[in-house]
């Protein structure tokens, strides 16, 4: 199998980690940077990727997921900035745990769902194309290289 076919996995790793770093930094500003908020954000990130991975086998074309992700990422980055003003009434107000769950869910879930669905649908697309090559190891390797 040509190494060019692993470019979607590389790009996915790059986009996923870049967005996760940006999102965590912004959310730490909003929620005063404690460990509980970091754990909740990352757990909702993993739940979103899991749900996308489970339901991603139903998607036929991973390219449409990539295009939708490209459209949704800038909107999500804007939402991180805007939602803070809706939840935080005064500049010094500490937001509660229920607000943290809701805010984190709204900001992370849909992007993470698309990331999980993209990986599974791309893997499914390329595994049907050429069955003789062990694709799983290379797919994870290229995604890891993209995130480095």
């Amino acid at each position: 199998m040509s190494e060019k076919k692993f470019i979607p996995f590389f790009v996915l790793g790059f986009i996923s980690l870049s967005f996760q770093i940006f999102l965590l930094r912004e959310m730490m500003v909003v929620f005063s940077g404690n460990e509980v908020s970091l754990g909740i954000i990352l757990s909702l990130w993993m739940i979103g990727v899991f749900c996308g991975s489970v339901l991603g086998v139903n998607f036929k074309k991973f390219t449409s997921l990539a295009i939708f992700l490209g459209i949704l990422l800038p909107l999500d980055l804007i939402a991180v900035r805007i939602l803070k003003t809706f939840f935080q009434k005064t500049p010094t107000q500490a937001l509660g745990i229920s607000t943290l769950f809701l805010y984190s869910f709204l900001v992370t879930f849909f992007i993470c769902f698309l990331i999980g669905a993209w990986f599974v649908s791309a893997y499914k697309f390329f595994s049907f194309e050429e069955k003789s090559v062990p694709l799983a190891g290379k797919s994870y390797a290229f995604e890891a290289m993209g995130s480095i």
Side-chain angles (χ1 to χ4, degrees), residues 70-136:
I71 293 169
L72 200 58
L73 276 174
L75 296 176
D76 201 42
L77 298 178
I78 293 168
V80 170
R81 303 282 177 135
I82 291 175
L83 285 176
K84 179 181 177 182
T85 59
F86 288 116
F87 289 117
Q88 199 170 20
K89 303 298 182 212
T90 61
T92 58
Q93 177 185 5
L95 299 174
I97 192 112
S98 61
T99 306
L100 172 63
F101 271 106
L102 180 62
Y103 186 86
S104 298
F105 178 80
L106 290 174
V107 171
T108 63
F109 185 78
F110 301 107
I111 296 293
C112 297
F113 181 87
L114 289 174
I115 288 170
W118 182 1
F119 184 86
V120 172
S121 64
Y123 179 82
K124 183 179 171 186
F125 176 78
F126 290 123
S127 67
F128 283 131
E129 193 172 290
E130 196 167 318
K131 296 183 180 183
S132 62
V133 177
L135 186 64

Side-chain angles (χ1 to χ4, degrees), residues 23-90:
L23 183 71
L24 285 174
R25 290 178 62 111
E26 290 296 318
M27 298 283 268
M28 289 309 221
V29 169
V30 173
F31 292 104
S32 304
N34 60 26
E35 293 82 8
V36 174
S37 62
L38 184 63
I40 290 170
I41 294 164
L42 288 175
S43 65
L44 288 173
W45 181 278
M46 295 302 293
I47 290 170
V49 171
F50 165 75
C51 292
S53 298
V54 169
L55 298 174
V57 295
N58 298 328
F59 293 108
K60 301 291 182 204
K61 293 191 176 193
F62 71 93
T63 53
S64 59
L65 289 171
I67 292 169
F68 192 57
L69 186 65
I71 293 169
L72 200 58
L73 276 174
L75 296 176
D76 201 42
L77 298 178
I78 293 168
V80 170
R81 303 282 177 135
I82 291 175
L83 285 176
K84 179 181 177 182
T85 59
F86 288 116
F87 289 117
Q88 199 170 20
K89 303 298 182 212
T90 61

